[in-house]
Amino acid sequence: MTKRLWWIIGTMLLILALALGGWWFWGKSQGPLKVRVGVVTPISMQEDVFATGSVVPVSSQEVRALAPGRVAKVAVKVGETVQAGQTLVALDTTLVDAQVAQAQVNVEAAQTVVNSAQANLEELKKAQTSGSGAAPSGSDSESVSGQSGGLSSLLPQFGGQQSSSQQIIVSPALIRQAEGALAQSKAALKQAEEMLKVARVQQGQLIFKASMAGTVIEVNAQEGNISSVQLPLVVVADLKQLNVEAQLNEVDAGKVQVGGKVKISSKMLKDSSVQGTIVEIAPTAVSALSVQGNSSPTVGVKIRLENAPVELKPGFTVSIEIVVATKEGVLAVPQEALFQEGNKNYVYRIQAGRLEKAEVKIGIGNDTHQEVTSGLKEGDQVVLNPSNDLAEGIQVSPEVGSGGV
């Protein structure tokens, strides 16, 4: 009898528990689901693009050796200020100095030959002009009396004739030969002068001078060592004018434009920032491997700094913020209200206490809000952080403290 009583009591308690559970579940399922909401509100919005970049000098000079050579002199050190035309580093010029000297001798010798040929031609023309006799009949030559001296010594060279009466016959052919000899000697002089120019250029290529005023920021040459062709021997930069170079992804690159304003910040600047202006956007994108191994196209952007402080130095990494759009009084929703399906954007809007899935068109955005150009109106309540459990038609109510409730 006792066992039977306990069995009856247990059965009744089980039935009671099931009834209470069903009542609790049924009552809860019938009640509205509490959700956090946001309100569609007109606000002033600024869209920014964020990235990191490197500080680089606007202008710089890299001194590089065309071929290895012994470093004869290093005339500067890192941190030193130099002027345009100042010698930076020199390689051994012993061999090219000899080549320049030999080329100079060749020029002087060729000039002597030109001078002699010029004098010869002038002497012949003078004799031709001052001749007193007429050329023999049927001949194109002319006779010159009393002109034996130095002129007579030219005759064997140019095929001239001297009569027994000391008359010198200067023919036009003789003049042409003298002119040809002069032209040939001038050509030889020109060639010698060009060879001297080449030798001097080669000499100059071993003595490197500053092409600009600036500060020496790198020295990789050491006197007595062989110069490297991989590294610049010396680098000079103008540290008064600096740029920031950055790489933007495809989406962000499409938003920026030349002339856009940029805010530059850095740990070295602490709470302050520097203003800059976009001066160049690369015409093409380049691809670089990402951390995941994928190829991500990026576009190079160059930003000119305004009044760069001394704390910023070439090589520093900085954060950049580019203002790409500013609008007043745009309808916006919190970013966490949006979700995507395919290529479309949606929100869950609360209509008469129930969820309604609404497609929206979006405009500019920032870290917290997104402009909505269609699909919502001012004052609409939208669900924040919608989960996969939500569906259109579910009865909901805003949590206390959210959405202005």
Side-chain angles (χ1 to χ4, degrees), residues 54-322:
S54 298
V55 179
V56 298
V58 172
S59 56
S60 62
Q61 175 192 3
E62 288 190 353
V63 174
R64 292 182 178 271
L66 299 178
R70 188 181 67 85
V71 178
K73 181 180 180 181
V74 178
V76 293
K77 58 184 178 180
V78 173
E80 183 177 343
T81 300
V82 297
Q83 301 299 322
Q86 182 175 336
T87 298
L88 303 175
V89 62
L91 302 185
D92 185 9
T93 61
T94 302
L95 178 59
V96 293
D97 287 346
Q99 293 172 342
V100 169
Q102 181 60 54
Q104 182 66 52
V105 170
N106 294 341
V107 168
E108 293 172 357
Q111 183 66 60
T112 299
V113 175
V114 169
N115 294 341
S116 177
Q118 182 71 48
N120 292 342
L121 178 61
E122 291 173 357
E123 189 75 15
L124 289 172
K125 286 184 176 180
K126 182 180 178 181
Q128 184 186 52
T129 303
S130 61
S132 59
S137 177
S139 170
D140 60 353
S141 64
E142 297 180 5
S143 63
V144 181
S145 61
Q147 300 287 337
S148 57
L151 181 60
S152 61
S153 65
L154 301 177
L155 298 181
Q157 180 180 356
F158 294 104
Q161 298 178 5
Q162 182 173 354
S163 68
S164 59
S165 61
Q166 298 301 316
Q167 287 185 329
I168 299 175
I169 308 301
V170 180
S171 68
L174 191 65
I175 298 296
R176 289 194 295 271
Q177 290 177 14
E179 289 174 340
L182 177 60
Q184 188 175 9
S185 64
K186 285 183 176 180
L189 173 61
K190 181 66 175 177
Q191 184 178 13
E193 289 174 339
E194 292 301 320
M195 295 301 295
L196 177 59
K197 289 181 181 179
V198 171
R200 285 175 173 169
V201 168
Q202 293 174 340
Q203 185 183 51
Q205 289 176 340
L206 300 180
I207 302 175
F208 302 94
K209 297 182 178 182
S211 61
M212 55 175 285
T215 303
V216 178
I217 62 174
E218 190 174 336
V219 175
N220 297 309
Q222 186 174 357
E223 292 183 6
N225 288 357
I226 300 299
S227 63
S228 171
V229 293
Q230 286 80 25
L231 295 175
L233 303 179
V234 177
V235 179
V236 177
D238 181 1
L239 300 184
K240 296 179 181 178
Q241 297 183 346
L242 299 176
N243 284 342
V244 170
E245 294 182 351
Q247 296 290 328
L248 303 182
N249 61 47
E250 298 173 90
V251 176
D252 289 343
K255 298 177 182 178
V256 302
Q257 57 185 354
V258 173
K261 297 303 179 182
V262 185
K263 184 170 73 172
I264 311 295
S265 57
S266 168
K267 293 179 180 179
M268 299 302 298
L269 300 177
K270 298 181 180 179
D271 296 331
S272 62
S273 60
V274 180
Q275 298 301 311
T277 304
I278 297 177
V279 294
E280 184 180 324
I281 300 175
T284 59
V286 296
S287 297
L289 291 178
S290 64
V291 177
Q292 293 78 16
N294 300 323
S295 181
S296 302
T298 59
V299 177
V301 175
K302 185 177 293 184
I303 302 163
R304 180 69 50 81
L305 296 184
E306 301 169 7
N307 301 320
V310 295
E311 291 85 356
L312 286 183
K313 301 184 184 299
F316 278 10
T317 298
V318 295
S319 299
I320 64 176
E321 179 183 348
I322 307 173

